[in-house]
Amino acid sequence: MSILEVKGVNKRFGGLQALGDVNLSVAENTVHAIIGPNGAGKSTLLNCLVGKLIPDTGSVMFDGQSVLGRAPYEINQMGISRVFQTPEIFGDLTVMENMMIPCFAKRDGAFEMNALTSIRSQRDVLEQAEAMLADMNMIDKREMLAASLSRGDKRRLEIGMCLSQQPRLLLLDEPTAGMARADTNNTIDLLKQIKDERDITIAIIEHDMHVVFSLAERITVLAQGTPLVEDTPENIKGHPKVREAYLGESA
Amino acid sequence: MLGLTKRDTILLLVVAALTLFAPFILNPFPEGSAMAQFNAGYPDLMQRFVIFGIFAVGFNILFGLTGYLSFGHAAFLGVGSYSAVWMFKLLSMNVLPAIILAVIVSGLFAVIIGYVSLRRSGIYFSILTLAFAQMSFALAYSVLTPITNGETGLQVYTDDPQYLMGPDSPTVTNLFGLEMRATYTLDLGPWSFDFNAGYYMCALIMLIAVYLSIRIFRSPFGLMLKAVKSNQQRMNFTGLNTRPYTLAAFVISGMYAGLAGGLMASMDPLAGAERMQWTASGEVVLMTILGGAGTLIGPILGAGFIKYFENIFSKINDTVLHQWFAFMPDGLEDFMVFLVHPFIGKGWHLTLGILFMLVVIFLPGGLVEGGQRIAAWVRGRKSAKADTATSKTEPAE
């Protein structure tokens, strides 16, 4: 059964057809990769899923409910978390504070006027945040400022923050972009572990074929705003249309 | 204590001790001595210290935590003052209803201005708040004359209704009979210390205001406000709605400003439109940045610092300077007076401006950062001594 249904989505920026009649179905508890050359519309599609952009036509259903017209925070509260291409974390706050914020968001909702309760008394949130930091192997960095972390650790922290909301769908936008090989492999291991240990659906946009073929169970190839093929990794590898779209880029 | 950590409790106790003993601390020089003009322990000025302290502490909840720079906070100060004076005109000279109404009205006012201004962030937010404050100023100055008494300013007249006024009620501002201007003067040899009822009431209210501000800083709500400043994108994609958080911070800081305005009117039952002018809004920004935006104690330090300069440096004139440099040969004396002259009296803004620039350039964290650096330096010297004694090494990671 599919958790995310995209049907007939179109998006135009002036004269540019960024997305043309995109249909996509992501099955529950799978890892679904969306690949394609630069400018294929991958990020535009992702932005349409999380409420950053509104498609001109078409529908986006998450778990039977439409996400269109909802604010990003509402879509997140429905159960979709997003990891950005450059890690979006709270740089001025400590790692522990970074981890507490999604825990509060999960517990208290989009807004809570708890101005006179002390953070120290919120044991449930503190425990949850610490457990997640331990899972991410970052417990020794808890008092560090998030901005001072290495690129790989920032990514780990961001993924941990998304996971601590217990989302049903995790969207990853080129999670290994600009990473060294070792960091990339660490991230792949982390994502594999997440996939094995949790009931979670992962949709991933990626350029790095090594990452895609290590993780994905289904792959959709996007070219010029339209899905070319959707299939298993084995079938995608030798698909002539895919080779044509990449035109030597990965061949 | 009171739900605070040990460090925060100590901080609050230090502030409490400083305000309690302010009449002594601010009057270190004997009456009639050459240095007596640096004494700041007279009731008027002490009241202003704590009132502007409240104003800056409230402003810091908005600017220090969320990073939204409001250039229109004086509007709330003015609204608070007008509301308070109206209570004096309608009820009696008791300050309690005046202060309560000042906080409520400025809070409502903040909801309206905040709701509109917070649709934008950054420089556009600042400009919107500035526009609102200037509109309020213009309204108070001319259009709303029936309510604000225009350029004369609102004051209490003998033919005002004052429905709660008994035949023997005090005709000056008071708290259930305790007159705000009541002052006990303690003479100790050449020293003289003033203990003023109004000052102590304001000081008590400031302590409550500081306590609430500490609680807000340490709450999940305060953490969310810091998150707004740090990364709004991540907040939105973490299921948090930034709008009500920023609006709540704006309203709280508006209420603090209204409280300060109400207290100003309670000390001196007047309210004029100039209290809402943009220079007054700018002043609280300076106070907060000078003291240290986003720190608990910084805004109070900044407020005290600026008010001290405004009231003490502005009073030094050339006659005083000639006294100071009297020991020098005539030509040199005149030259020194000529050199220092632009920085004193009406030129105190120049001195303040230079100090402000120095702080912003060399201590971006304000006076608080200066204090931390000194503390770290002292501790560093101590631990350097301890280190050579034990020559302890940290294990490398």
Side-chain angles (χ1 to χ4, degrees):
Chain A
M1 118 129 223
S2 70
I3 189 163
L4 184 73
E5 281 283 349
V6 179
K7 278 205 184 116
V9 163
N10 281 282
K11 180 75 193 173
R12 252 180 186 289
F13 296 114
L16 176 79
Q17 179 91 29
L19 294 176
D21 201 28
V22 174
N23 292 301
L24 176 74
S25 168
V26 177
E28 200 161 0
N29 292 333
T30 58
V31 179
H32 195 123
I34 299 160
I35 62 171
N38 278 328
K42 304 184 297 291
S43 293
T44 309
L45 177 61
L46 199 62
N47 285 335
C48 287
L49 304 184
V50 294
K52 230 187 153 183
L53 288 175
I54 299 172
D56 302 332
T57 57
S59 73
V60 179
M61 306 290 277
F62 173 72
D63 199 24
Q65 280 182 295
S66 174
V67 305
L68 297 188
R70 290 181 202 251
Y73 74 88
E74 290 172 310
I75 294 175
N76 177 279
Q77 291 280 358
M78 287 167 76
I80 303 181
S81 278
R82 172 175 178 179
V83 173
F84 287 79
Q85 199 171 335
T86 33
E88 291 279 356
I89 51 176
F90 302 109
D92 313 329
L93 305 181
T94 66
V95 169
M96 181 64 180
E97 285 172 324
N98 266 273
M99 202 53 98
M100 284 190 297
I101 288 168
C103 297
F104 278 121
K106 175 78 185 161
R107 192 191 71 181
D108 301 335
F111 174 69
E112 175 73 29
M113 186 69 207
N114 42 8
L116 295 179
T117 47
S118 159
I119 290 178
R120 284 175 308 132
S121 66
Q122 310 298 301
R123 300 234 173 273
D124 53 335
V125 165
L126 290 175
E127 276 166 23
Q128 230 180 315
E130 275 184 359
M132 184 52 76
L133 282 181
D135 275 6
M136 294 289 127
N137 257 328
M138 296 186 79
I139 201 87
D140 52 327
K141 301 192 172 78
R142 49 175 291 168
E143 293 309 323
M144 276 173 75
L145 277 188
S148 65
L149 293 174
S150 70
R151 179 70 180 255
D153 276 341
K154 280 182 186 164
R155 173 63 73 216
R156 267 184 122 65
L157 176 62
E158 194 189 22
I159 292 175
M161 286 163 72
C162 287
L163 287 181
S164 61
Q165 295 190 286
Q166 295 148 14
R168 299 191 49 207
L169 174 62
L170 180 65
L171 300 174
L172 299 149
D173 188 357
E174 300 196 24
T176 63
M179 271 190 191
R181 203 75 199 147
D183 275 339
T184 302
N185 287 334
N186 283 337
T187 310
I188 293 174
D189 291 344
L190 176 66
L191 292 173
K192 272 187 181 158
Q193 186 194 340
I194 292 166
K195 171 180 119 180
D196 293 342
E197 289 174 2
R198 291 164 198 270
D199 282 337
I200 192 166
T201 314
I202 298 178
I204 179 169
I205 285 180
E206 189 54 81
H207 262 312
D208 189 333
M209 290 304 135
H210 171 58
V211 179
V212 172
F213 289 112
S214 322
L215 290 167
E217 292 157 77
R218 297 277 310 170
I219 297 178
T220 299
V221 183
L222 216 58
Q224 288 168 351
T226 321
L228 283 181
V229 265
E230 193 201 307
D231 217 324
T232 57
E234 295 73 40
N235 294 341
I236 290 286
K237 265 182 192 166
H239 204 289
K241 268 190 173 179
V242 179
R243 284 173 175 264
E244 190 193 312
Y246 273 87
L247 215 60
E249 221 182 284
S250 72
Chain B
M1 192 182 81
L2 295 168
L4 299 182
T5 59
K6 207 174 145 205
R7 269 189 75 184
D8 292 338
T9 311
I10 292 172
L11 183 75
L12 189 64
L13 288 177
V14 168
V15 176
L18 286 178
T19 46
L20 186 64
F21 296 113
F24 294 110
I25 297 166
L26 294 173
N27 259 5
F29 307 111
E31 202 74 13
S33 71
M35 299 297 279
Q37 59 194 313
F38 287 107
N39 281 343
Y42 52 96
D44 252 23
L45 184 54
M46 288 195 296
Q47 288 165 2
R48 246 168 283 158
F49 280 149
V50 287
I51 290 173
F52 277 91
I54 294 171
F55 190 20
V57 164
F59 185 77
N60 190 41
I61 291 174
L62 179 71
F63 176 56
L65 288 179
T66 70
Y68 276 75
L69 177 57
S70 162
F71 255 109
H73 255 51
F76 306 122
L77 195 75
V79 167
S81 286
Y82 282 121
S83 317
V85 176
W86 268 110
M87 280 285 105
F88 298 141
K89 287 167 87 74
L90 291 175
L91 301 178
S92 73
M93 296 307 276
N94 192 335
V95 296
L96 193 64
I99 293 169
I100 292 171
L101 188 78
V103 173
I104 293 172
V105 174
S106 56
L108 293 175
F109 205 61
V111 171
I112 298 166
I113 294 187
Y115 185 80
V116 178
S117 305
L118 287 165
R119 305 184 76 82
R120 291 284 171 267
S121 60
I123 188 81
Y124 303 101
F125 168 79
S126 303
I127 296 297
L128 280 172
T129 51
L130 178 61
F132 267 113
Q134 283 303 87
M135 275 157 59
S136 313
F137 168 71
L139 284 175
Y141 198 74
S142 54
V143 184
L144 291 180
T145 301
I147 300 175
T148 62
N149 207 13
E151 48 188 298
T152 321
L154 195 63
Q155 45 190 301
V156 184
Y157 298 109
T158 40
D159 58 347
D160 282 329
Q162 299 194 302
Y163 295 112
L164 293 182
M165 200 77 153
D168 48 350
S169 300
T171 53
V172 293
T173 52
N174 65 86
L175 182 69
F176 301 108
L178 174 67
E179 292 185 6
M180 290 294 110
R181 63 177 187 192
T183 304
Y184 168 74
T185 306
L186 173 70
D187 287 309
L188 278 177
W191 282 275
S192 152
F193 305 106
D194 291 334
F195 300 90
N196 171 262
Y199 165 72
Y200 277 105
M201 187 192 74
C202 293
L204 186 68
I205 292 176
M206 185 188 81
L207 285 178
I208 298 170
V210 171
Y211 168 71
L212 288 176
S213 145
I214 297 178
R215 290 295 297 257
I216 291 173
F217 267 64
R218 303 291 182 237
S219 71
F221 173 76
L223 180 63
M224 296 306 172
L225 297 185
K226 290 179 202 162
V228 167
K229 183 180 184 177
S230 186
N231 190 341
Q232 291 214 24
Q233 166 112 312
R234 180 31 86 201
M235 263 200 109
N236 283 321
F237 288 96
T238 308
L240 293 160
N241 190 358
T242 51
R243 196 67 85 64
Y245 279 109
T246 46
L247 184 60
F250 191 84
V251 172
I252 292 171
S253 79
M255 287 165 87
Y256 268 74
L259 172 65
L263 287 174
M264 274 166 127
S266 302
M267 297 303 111
D268 183 11
L270 290 170
E274 75 288 341
R275 215 163 264 182
M276 299 174 126
Q277 226 168 351
W278 67 276
T279 46
S281 297
E283 197 178 43
V284 75
V285 179
L286 291 189
M287 286 172 182
T288 311
I289 294 178
L290 189 68
T295 62
L296 286 167
I297 190 121
I300 303 176
L301 292 180
F305 198 82
I306 288 183
K307 284 292 147 193
Y308 186 84
F309 265 80
E310 180 185 295
N311 289 281
I312 305 297
F313 269 68
S314 62
K315 273 200 210 112
I316 303 172
N317 54 29
D318 282 3
T319 325
V320 179
L321 284 185
H322 278 290
Q323 280 173 19
W324 286 1
F325 299 116
F327 65 92
M328 292 178 172
D330 261 359
L332 197 57
E333 180 189 326
D334 288 343
F335 181 67
M336 287 305 291
V337 172
F338 172 76
L339 269 190
V340 181
H341 174 80
F343 297 95
I344 48 136
K346 283 192 175 138
W348 73 274
H349 280 114
L350 197 58
T351 318
L352 184 67
I354 291 171
L355 281 168
F356 183 74
M357 284 193 284
L358 289 175
V359 165
V360 169
I361 293 169
F362 295 107
L363 296 171
L367 296 174
V368 167
E369 190 187 333
Q372 283 166 346
R373 283 202 196 169
I374 292 170
W377 181 72
V378 170
R379 241 179 278 131
R381 276 177 48 141
K382 266 188 198 160
S383 65
K385 271 182 202 157
D387 272 358
T388 47
T390 57
S391 69
K392 194 179 71 182
T393 48
E394 290 285 311
E397 262 194 278

